[in-house]
Amino acid sequence: MGQRYVRQKIKTICSFLIILILLPYVVAVFVNGGDMEVIGKNDGAYVQVKKTSEEGEEKIVKVPWEEYFIGILAKEIPETYEEEALKAQAVLIRTNLYQKLDSSEEKVLEDSHLSMKDLEKKWGANEYDTSYAKLKKAMDETENQVLYYNDTYAMVPFHHSSNGKTRSGQEVLGSADYPYLVVKECPKDKEAEDEMHVYNMEYKEIQAKCQPFLVAVDKESAEKTYHFSDFEIQSYDSAGYVSQLRIGDTVCTGEQFREALSLASSAFSLQESEDGMRITTMGTGHGLGMSQWTANEMAKEGKSYEEIIQNFFEGTNLTDGGEIFTKVE
C-alpha cells in the first residue's frame, strides 16, 4: 500500500511538471491559432510582397522571410557557386531589401523571387534539400549583415560577368555619389560561360525595336529602311562599354540600345552582314558592381566573402543591419 501511494505521488508530480512546461505553448496556441509553427524568431518573420498575376492583377501577399530571401538568392546566382561567393551575394541582396524596407512606409517589397514550387522544379527532387541548405547557410552565416557607405546603405549592383572590367559608377550614372563603384580588372570573366553573344538582325527589326526613343522624323523618313551607315558607335567608357551610339539622327546610350534589343551587354561591336547587321557582345549584364563570375573565381582561390565584397565595393563597411523583425514592424 505504501509503495503504491509513492508511485501515485510521483505520477502526480510528473504530470504537474509537464503541465508547467507545456503551459506557455498551450496559451500561445489559443492566442495565435492551432497552426502555429514552433520556429525561431527570424525564421518566423513575414514580409509583404507585391505580386502580379498572369491576368495583370496586382495583390499583396505575405511570404516567410526565409522563403523570400532564398527565392531571390536562387534567382540571382547559381547554387553551384562557391560558398563564399554565395555569401557575398547574400549580403548584397539583404542590403538591397533592407534599404527598400527602411525607405517604404507601406513595407511592401516588389522584387520577384522563386517560390518553393519554382525551386523544386529548378533543382529537382534529388537536389532540392542540398541546394536549399547551401543557400540557407549563406543566408544564416551572413545574418543581418548589410553594406554601408557613409552611414547609409551602399548601392550594390551586380552582374553575371563583365567584358573583362567592371564599369565606373560615375561614368554610367553620371554621379560622384558612388566612389566605390570603380573600374576593376576581371580578366577571368573572359573565360565565363556565354561570355560572347552574336546577334544577327535585319535593319527593320532593329528600327522597330528602337522606335520608342528615336528622334521624330517626317513620315517619308520614318518609312525609310536603315542601312549600316545609319549606325555609328561614337564613344566607349573606360571599361570598353558603349557610351553613345548614333542611329540615324538619334544619339542614344549603349544601355538604351542594349535594352531595346535585349542584348546580353552594352559592350558590343557592329558589323555589316549579308542580311542586316551582326552585333557581338562581351559579358552578361550591365557591368556595374560585383561580377559574380569573378567573385566565384576569387572564392575558389580561398578569398572570403568579406574580401570579395571589398574588392568590388572598396571603402564600404559591413554593418549589422538589425533583425528583419525591426524592418517589417
Side-chain angles (χ1 to χ4, degrees):
M1 184 72 176
Q3 290 181 349
R4 183 178 180 185
Y5 174 79
V6 169
R7 284 199 299 269
Q8 187 64 39
K9 192 73 173 178
I10 292 172
K11 186 184 293 186
T12 301
I13 292 172
C14 289
S15 299
F16 181 71
L17 290 174
I18 291 171
I19 291 173
L20 283 179
I21 293 170
L22 293 179
L23 184 59
Y25 175 75
V26 173
V27 172
V29 168
F30 277 107
V31 173
N32 297 299
D35 59 347
M36 187 192 73
E37 297 181 60
V38 183
I39 48 182
K41 186 178 181 184
N42 272 331
D43 290 342
Y46 282 76
V47 288
Q48 296 185 95
V49 180
K50 182 181 288 187
K51 288 191 174 183
T52 304
S53 67
E54 294 181 359
E55 295 76 26
E57 180 183 353
E58 290 186 347
K59 62 178 180 178
I60 296 174
V61 298
K62 284 191 172 183
V63 180
W65 169 244
E66 180 185 299
E67 178 181 328
Y68 185 65
F69 191 97
I70 291 178
I72 293 179
L73 189 57
K75 178 174 175 285
E76 298 294 359
I77 192 169
E79 73 284 351
T80 54
Y81 273 24
E82 299 290 314
E83 287 186 2
E84 295 304 303
L86 295 177
K87 290 178 189 178
Q89 185 68 55
V91 171
L92 303 192
I93 288 173
R94 187 180 296 104
T95 301
N96 181 43
L97 295 178
Y98 272 24
Q99 189 276 330
K100 290 178 179 178
L101 286 170
D102 280 352
S103 62
S104 168
E105 292 184 6
E106 293 80 15
K107 306 296 183 184
V108 175
L109 297 169
E110 298 186 25
D111 300 64
S112 61
H113 71 291
L114 299 178
S115 66
M116 296 297 101
K117 188 176 292 186
D118 294 331
L119 294 180
E120 289 174 6
K121 185 176 180 180
K122 174 181 170 69
W123 293 330
N126 292 334
E127 297 297 326
Y128 179 86
D129 288 343
T130 301
S131 298
Y132 190 93
K134 189 175 181 182
L135 297 191
K136 187 175 187 306
K137 183 178 181 182
M139 177 184 180
D140 291 345
E141 294 190 2
T142 61
E143 185 178 14
N144 303 334
Q145 290 185 2
V146 296
L147 210 57
Y148 262 45
Y149 180 75
N150 285 348
D151 300 321
T152 189
Y153 293 104
M155 184 180 181
V156 288
F158 54 87
H159 55 283
H160 175 65
S161 64
S162 70
N163 70 337
K165 295 179 181 179
T166 65
R167 306 174 74 184
S168 159
Q170 183 164 355
E171 288 181 316
V172 177
L173 304 172
S175 170
D177 293 340
Y178 314 104
Y180 46 86
L181 294 179
V182 297
V183 176
K184 288 287 183 178
E185 296 283 346
C186 298
K188 291 191 176 180
D189 278 0
K190 293 182 178 180
E191 303 169 10
E193 297 172 1
D194 298 324
E195 174 68 1
M196 178 187 292
H197 292 79
V198 179
Y199 307 81
N200 288 289
M201 297 187 183
E202 294 182 355
Y203 292 112
K204 284 186 177 180
E205 179 186 2
I206 297 171
Q207 188 173 350
K209 290 183 175 180
C210 294
Q211 194 62 49
F213 59 81
L214 294 180
V215 172
V217 295
D218 58 61
K219 184 177 180 182
E220 183 178 342
S221 297
E223 292 176 350
K224 182 189 75 170
T225 301
Y226 282 179
H227 296 90
F228 187 70
S229 59
D230 291 304
F231 296 82
E232 177 193 8
I233 296 176
Q234 295 186 329
S235 63
Y236 295 89
D237 66 17
S238 57
Y241 288 74
V242 174
S243 297
Q244 288 190 325
L245 169 72
R246 179 184 61 81
I247 306 176
D249 296 326
T250 301
V251 175
C252 65
T253 66
E255 281 300 308
Q256 283 179 301
F257 190 66
R258 173 205 168 202
E259 291 175 6
L261 301 186
S262 299
L263 305 178
S265 163
S266 61
F268 57 80
S269 59
L270 308 176
Q271 299 86 31
E272 191 171 11
S273 66
E274 186 177 340
D275 299 321
M277 188 160 67
R278 181 180 298 110
I279 307 168
T280 304
T281 66
M282 296 298 293
T284 303
H286 48 61
L288 268 178
M290 186 181 81
S291 160
Q292 295 173 327
W293 186 271
T294 289
N296 195 48
E297 292 301 311
M298 290 177 68
K300 289 178 182 178
E301 295 169 358
K303 302 294 185 184
S304 67
Y305 74 95
E306 294 96 338
E307 291 174 304
I308 293 170
I309 288 172
Q310 275 304 304
N311 178 67
F312 290 106
F313 305 96
E314 189 174 351
T316 58
N317 298 303
L318 273 173
T319 305
D320 187 334
E323 293 186 345
I324 183 61
F325 272 89
T326 66
K327 308 297 173 184
V328 298
E329 289 176 346

